[in-house]
DNA sequence: AAAAAAAGTAAGGACAATCCTTACTCTTTT
DNA sequence: AAAAGAGTAAGGATTGTCCTTACTTTTTTT
């Protein structure tokens, strides 16, 4: 079997986590003598952007990215999460495999990251042990994708209900659940207040909710796994 | 020098993190031959409570606890965070040294954890590398307390402003910043709506804010490090 | 390509939450 | 005893939300 060297970028603002990833790669290449890794780690959006642009310009190769979603935003405020970085990577470096790794475990976020990035790996940090990390690496290299337990569970919930709600419904529910006001929604969504109200009424009808305020709606939406 | 064995409990729901802690303890006891550790790890509130109660009942010794704040809540909903566990530990096992370790890096939370738990160590996860973790262990054993970079920076900000705002002001700002409505605040705070409004007006006056809605107030409060 | 259905917008009125003012009570300070 | 500080209570003004109706635009069906 021929030798292969993979180049890896780890984007995560927790040094203990990046260290754990590195350890896993080390271990893996010891078990598989023909495979080695060249690993870089970055801890914020600005440096990540610099590295991605550099790789693109110099036509270097990047095989694998581990991507945390919650990161300190860039100084100019343009890149506010790992999701934005992922979009950039998909655009500039389409052959790079992205493994999303996050603490978010609510359906809405996982779902929207899936749609926007379509990653080759998706890990919820609560799920993964050092051992599972090594399995992840193996799967990513030989037979992607790899999704961790919680992700698979959320995806299953999703499939059963997916025909009902679209992205905008989901976003409305999500925004309401974090306390956004109706009057502020038109600047977040491409819809008028009247349109949003119509959708809300539709959702309440769908879920069989009579109450006038939104608590019950959000409760049921959470229960059904939409947020 | 006599031998000493410390008993340690690690409470954190991320296996990669608990593993990193363990590795640090291992390393430390290899460097210090007279010191050994007996380490347990737990990943949720329920199991933690069981362990704490067991240690208390059987009058066992617990020297050091690493305590994550954001944890899956207990099934009966009574313990909703590591802070609650910390209170229990302080009460039942007053000689146990608590090292809080969390991803929260906003002033309000750090401040309120300080007041409620008065921990011997306080780590923001973004700050700590494997190397710093070993220093932490050394400091905790020989000369506590140990606070990581961000914590010290937040504490300094605090001191300069502390005379201005009390706990309730802080809590009002915090609740508003996460979207809580005025009408719901009286059930969270020991104050009437009128009283809360009065305080809000007072705060706006203090910060020199003319605008009628709360965005600017919350912005300035964040800037000044109150939330 | 016309008709029907679905989704969004606009404008109005009813209702509820927020904000502000004034007047009163209670506690602490001077 | 007076003054200052903090909270409560009740009102009215203002703003946000919800709902209805009528109209426009887009999509689907035939």
């Amino acid at each position: 079997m021929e030798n292969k060297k993979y180049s890896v970028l780890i984007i995560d603002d927790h040094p203990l986590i990046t260290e754990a990833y590195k350890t896993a790669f080390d271990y893996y290449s010891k078990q598989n003598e023909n495979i080695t890794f060249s690993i870089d780690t970055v801890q914020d959006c600005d440096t990540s952007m610099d590295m991605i642009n550099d790789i693109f310009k110099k036509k270097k190769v990047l095989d694998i990215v581990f991507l945390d979603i919650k990161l300190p935003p860039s100084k100019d405020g343009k890149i506010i999460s790992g999701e934005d970085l992922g979009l950039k990577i998909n655009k500039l470096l389409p052959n790079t495999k992205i493994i999303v790794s996050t603490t978010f475990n609510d359906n809405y976020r996982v779902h929207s990251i899936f749609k926007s990035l379509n990653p080759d790996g998706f890990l919820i940090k609560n799920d993964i042990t050092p051992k599972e990390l090594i399995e992840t690496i193996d799967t990513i290299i030989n037979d992607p994708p790899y999704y961790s337990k919680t992700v698979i569970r959320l995806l299953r919930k999703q499939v059963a209900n997916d025909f009902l709600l679209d992205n905008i419904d989901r976003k409305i529910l999500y925004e309401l659940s974090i306390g956004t006001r109706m009057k502020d929604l038109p600047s977040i969504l491409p819809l008028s207040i009247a349109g949003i109200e119509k959708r809300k009424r539709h959702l309440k009808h769908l879920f069989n909710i009579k109450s006038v305020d939104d608590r019950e709606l959000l409760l049921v939406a959470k229960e059904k796994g939409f947020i």
Side-chain angles (χ1 to χ4, degrees), chain A:
Chain A
M1 210 179 193
E2 60 167 333
N3 286 347
K4 169 79 182 152
K5 179 163 194 166
Y6 293 93
S7 96
V8 178
L9 179 60
I10 299 170
I11 305 177
D12 196 304
D13 63 333
H14 291 169
L16 294 181
I17 298 279
T18 59
E19 208 54 39
Y21 291 159
K22 272 179 159 173
T23 306
F25 278 109
D26 278 1
Y27 184 89
Y28 188 83
S29 74
K30 267 178 201 143
Q31 302 303 107
N32 301 269
E33 285 180 0
N34 56 324
I35 293 180
T36 56
F37 300 98
S38 109
I39 302 177
D40 283 304
T41 64
V42 222
Q43 310 203 13
D44 60 80
C45 287
D46 286 316
T47 322
S48 300
M49 276 306 297
D50 292 347
M51 292 214 50
I52 294 163
N53 282 324
D54 189 66
I55 291 167
F56 175 67
K57 274 182 201 153
K58 298 187 178 154
K59 301 193 174 171
K60 289 191 268 186
V61 172
L62 178 59
D63 297 299
I64 297 171
V65 172
F66 271 76
L67 182 61
D68 192 9
I69 296 297
K70 186 170 181 179
L71 290 170
S74 70
K75 279 173 190 162
D76 63 8
K78 281 180 187 163
I79 300 162
I80 58 164
S81 79
E83 203 169 346
D84 298 325
L85 289 175
L87 290 170
K88 196 84 185 182
I89 293 168
N90 273 342
K91 197 170 158 197
L92 297 185
L93 312 167
N95 296 319
T96 300
K97 287 176 181 160
I98 296 180
I99 295 98
V100 169
S101 153
T102 175
T103 58
F104 297 135
N105 60 358
D106 60 288
N107 206 314
Y108 173 76
R109 303 263 202 142
V110 171
H111 187 256
S112 80
I113 292 167
F114 250 103
K115 282 222 171 158
S116 65
L117 298 185
N118 189 29
D120 290 281
F122 205 131
L123 308 174
I124 305 290
K125 280 185 184 161
N126 297 23
D127 291 345
I128 44 173
T129 59
K131 199 171 152 231
E132 183 163 349
L133 206 48
I134 291 159
E135 286 173 42
T136 307
I137 294 170
D138 190 61
T139 308
I140 293 299
I141 289 176
N142 296 309
D143 183 27
Y146 185 92
Y147 306 143
S148 77
K149 265 203 314 288
T150 309
V151 177
I152 292 173
R153 219 176 293 137
L154 291 178
L155 286 182
R156 275 186 57 192
K157 256 198 198 174
Q158 200 71 37
V159 180
N161 294 316
D162 208 28
F163 62 98
L164 279 170
L165 303 204
D166 67 7
N167 270 341
I168 296 187
D169 287 327
R170 247 192 262 302
K171 181 121 194 173
I172 291 172
L173 291 171
Y174 176 69
E175 290 294 336
L176 290 177
S177 81
I178 61 171
T180 307
R181 299 232 176 144
M182 287 299 288
K183 63 152 181 159
D184 296 323
L185 280 179
S187 63
I188 301 174
L189 296 165
L191 247 71
S192 70
I193 290 212
I196 298 168
E197 282 171 351
K198 217 169 194 177
R199 274 176 180 261
K200 254 171 74 174
R201 254 171 280 135
H202 178 65
L203 288 171
K204 283 183 185 172
H205 182 75
L206 265 179
F207 293 160
N208 235 320
I209 289 160
K210 63 268 165 192
S211 98
V212 78
D213 84 21
D214 299 339
R215 278 192 200 166
E216 209 184 331
L217 174 61
L218 297 175
L219 232 118
V220 175
K222 259 178 201 154
E223 202 178 275
K224 300 218 184 238
F226 292 113
I227 45 176

